[in-house]
Amino acid sequence: MTGDISAVTLDSGKTPQQLCADRSKRLLDALQLKQPDRIPIHLSLGNMVAELEGATRQELFENPDRAQAAMVKAALQFQPDALSGPWGGPELSRTLGDQSTKWPGYGLGPNGSFQFVESEYMKAEDYDDFLEDPADWGIRVFLPRVFSELNGLSLLPPLGLSTFGYYGMLNVGIFNHPEVEKALRALAKASQLQAESMPRQRATMERLVALGFPPMPFFGTLLEAPFDFMSDTLRGMKGIFLDMRRCPDKLLAAQEKVARFQLQHAIVSSRPLVFAGNIACATFPLHRGSDGFMSLQQFERFYWPQLKSLFLKLIDHGITIFVFYEGIWDKRLKYLAELPKGKTVGWFQSSDIFKVKEVLGDTMCILGGMPVSMLSGGTVEQVRERTKKVCQIVGKGGGFIMTTGTGEMEGCKPELVKAWVDATKEFGMY
């Protein structure tokens, strides 16, 4: 690694097409555990985009054109190798009467931060019905509990009657019920909103590509660890930890169910991404498996075997695994080293990034390195010192992408972000 300040001018004089190609190669080399020309840097700006624009978060959600312009402005201001902005939006939640999320302008003030409202949306007594037929239970019980506009789905007959042919069709009259019709209209409207958002998202991506900024090649179909799937939106943290003691066999059986249909979903939906080196990818945000949530004994029984099995099956289907290891995973790193070399990507939030490099440097591409707290409350000198250390140790030999520890940079100071980007280019040359 070098500290030659001339590295900052590496991109000088190149066309946007050349920049996009160079940056894409830089990212893909890191993904494949190769050593690129320098360490790539990704800015996961999130709501910082609104702060840079001088707008509320609600205003950007409601004005896609302004949001796109703000992303372009941020890209040109900081000149990273890739960047991303706020994810999702309140439209679907508002349309469906979602009680499990809060957004700016939907359950929160115009500058609020996205919140997930955890609850036991699945009761302990629901396990038998879930295991019998998760689709039937999900549509007729779970969705009406979580989405107020879908209450009418609870009036549907058991979905298994759809296999009763003509005789099953004698039940279609239920679709004329006002509550059922209301639910179907809400679903149709949500589908339309989703369809309308996709061209806007693509337009933003294409605009950034035209300016020389490729999309990150690692984000794909959203999946969860089987344990997290049962915990996050169904049982909640309290419920799932009671289940480990009160009904462990049912919990394990349920995890097997959700792993199976997540795999089926990923095989169909994990398509190679445009402009991203034809990589088919599945994205896993991990929540409950970190050091602070469960013991190693619990991890070895309820979390890791099911997750590792799902990873390996996805890899067998040619799907690259992108994982956000939320929290601290220092005591779990030896398990992650069991994964096939170069088939997964790990973004680490609060783990010891230097220990991560030591244990996993030959196993996976590593993302992280910069605490958001330093970019919001540090100094230029502290940012440069941290960047230099991370580049020299974690970046050694390649297989590393510099980014923040989380996918949200709200509150970060622009001058510190610029110092960080420039320092990565300076100290990250190979």
Side-chain angles (χ1 to χ4, degrees):
M1 312 293 292
T2 72
D4 187 353
I5 193 66
S6 64
V8 178
T9 64
L10 180 67
D11 298 337
S12 298
K14 295 182 179 179
T15 66
Q17 292 78 12
Q18 290 172 322
L19 287 172
C20 191
D22 288 350
R23 289 164 173 163
S24 291
K25 185 177 188 306
R26 199 169 289 140
L27 292 163
L28 290 170
D29 282 349
L31 169 67
Q32 296 164 0
L33 300 183
K34 298 177 182 177
Q35 180 174 289
D37 56 353
R38 66 165 170 79
I39 294 172
I41 181 167
H42 167 249
L43 300 187
S44 188
L45 295 169
N47 287 318
M48 187 184 177
V49 175
E51 297 168 0
L52 292 169
E53 180 65 8
T56 67
R57 295 160 188 181
Q58 182 179 351
E59 285 172 337
L60 283 198
F61 278 130
E62 295 175 349
N63 190 333
D65 291 337
R66 188 177 183 186
Q68 180 185 133
M71 283 289 292
V72 168
K73 188 184 301 183
L76 296 175
Q77 176 179 353
F78 297 118
Q79 293 289 325
D81 290 298
L83 75 164
S84 55
W87 63 275
E91 295 86 359
L92 294 180
S93 291
R94 183 182 292 114
T95 299
L96 298 176
D98 181 14
Q99 301 172 68
S100 66
T101 63
K102 292 183 179 181
W103 301 80
Y106 179 79
L108 299 173
N111 268 318
S113 297
F114 168 82
Q115 299 290 321
F116 181 77
V117 184
E118 184 176 290
S119 184
E120 289 188 28
Y121 298 112
M122 173 182 171
K123 310 301 181 184
E125 56 267 27
D126 289 326
Y127 261 109
D128 289 339
D129 290 338
F130 178 89
L131 291 170
E132 178 70 23
D133 190 340
D136 181 84
W137 179 85
I139 291 174
R140 297 196 306 118
V141 179
F142 174 71
L143 292 182
R145 282 181 185 170
V146 180
F147 302 98
S148 62
E149 295 299 308
L150 302 183
N151 285 334
L153 298 181
S154 64
L155 301 176
L156 295 177
L159 300 185
L161 285 175
S162 61
T163 64
F164 202 22
Y166 166 80
Y167 303 105
M169 291 302 101
L170 296 178
N171 294 299
V172 296
I174 192 63
F175 291 107
N176 285 320
H177 190 287
E179 286 299 310
V180 176
E181 184 177 352
K182 177 184 176 183
L184 296 178
R185 289 186 183 278
L187 287 170
K189 183 177 179 181
S191 177
Q192 181 63 33
L193 288 171
Q194 191 82 325
E196 292 172 355
S197 71
M198 294 177 67
R200 292 196 297 266
Q201 294 172 10
R202 183 177 179 86
T204 299
M205 179 184 70
E206 291 177 343
R207 174 62 176 147
L208 290 170
V209 166
L211 292 171
F213 303 96
M216 283 289 281
F218 315 129
F219 300 131
T221 301
L222 181 64
L223 303 175
E224 283 205 306
F227 185 94
D228 290 341
F229 191 107
M230 295 304 301
S231 173
D232 287 356
T233 59
L234 296 177
R235 293 290 290 130
M237 187 169 72
K238 177 182 176 181
I240 203 75
F241 282 101
L242 288 174
D243 295 343
M244 285 195 289
R245 293 188 176 275
R246 294 180 177 178
C247 54
D249 292 339
K250 289 184 178 181
L251 172 57
L252 292 171
Q255 289 193 59
E256 183 180 348
K257 286 266 187 181
V258 303
R260 188 181 308 127
F261 60 68
Q262 283 196 100
L263 175 64
Q264 294 170 348
H265 171 59
I267 292 171
V268 173
S269 60
S270 297
R271 301 296 187 212
L273 301 177
V274 180
F275 307 117
N278 293 321
I279 294 175
C281 185
T283 299
F284 285 78
L286 302 187
H287 298 138
R288 308 295 197 205
S290 60
D291 291 355
F293 274 107
M294 61 175 67
S295 68
L296 282 175
Q297 183 179 13
Q298 292 168 329
F299 181 80
E300 290 174 344
R301 182 183 183 190
F302 292 102
Y303 202 94
W304 180 240
Q306 298 82 355
L307 179 60
K308 180 182 177 182
S309 175
L310 182 53
F311 280 173
L312 295 179
K313 290 174 183 176
L314 289 166
I315 290 169
D316 285 343
H317 283 86
I319 298 172
T320 297
I321 312 300
F322 178 89
V323 188
F324 177 52
Y325 293 99
E326 186 177 53
I328 299 174
W329 282 70
D330 293 350
K331 297 178 182 178
R332 273 75 163 134
L333 297 180
K334 66 177 183 180
Y335 299 91
L336 308 187
E338 299 170 2
L339 298 172
K341 180 178 179 180
K343 299 298 182 180
T344 71
V345 180
W347 187 353
F348 292 86
Q349 180 189 15
S350 300
S351 300
D352 181 341
I353 199 71
F354 306 106
K355 186 174 181 180
V356 171
K357 175 68 175 183
E358 179 184 346
V359 178
L360 301 176
D362 294 330
T363 301
M364 65 180 66
C365 174
I366 297 167
L367 279 77
M370 178 54 70
V372 169
S373 59
M374 185 170 289
L375 295 176
S376 59
T379 65
V380 169
E381 291 74 19
Q382 289 172 332
V383 168
R384 284 180 54 80
E385 181 180 353
R386 170 73 180 188
T387 304
K388 182 178 181 179
K389 182 178 180 181
V390 171
C391 285
Q392 291 178 337
I393 298 176
V394 188
K396 185 177 181 180
F400 172 64
I401 296 174
M402 177 74 80
T403 191
T404 46
T406 64
E408 174 58 67
M409 291 174 60
E410 62 181 52
C412 292
K413 296 177 181 178
E415 63 271 20
L416 296 181
V417 174
K418 187 66 168 63
W420 172 45
V421 174
D422 290 346
T424 300
K425 294 179 180 181
E426 177 183 346
F427 299 117
M429 290 293 294
Y430 289 104

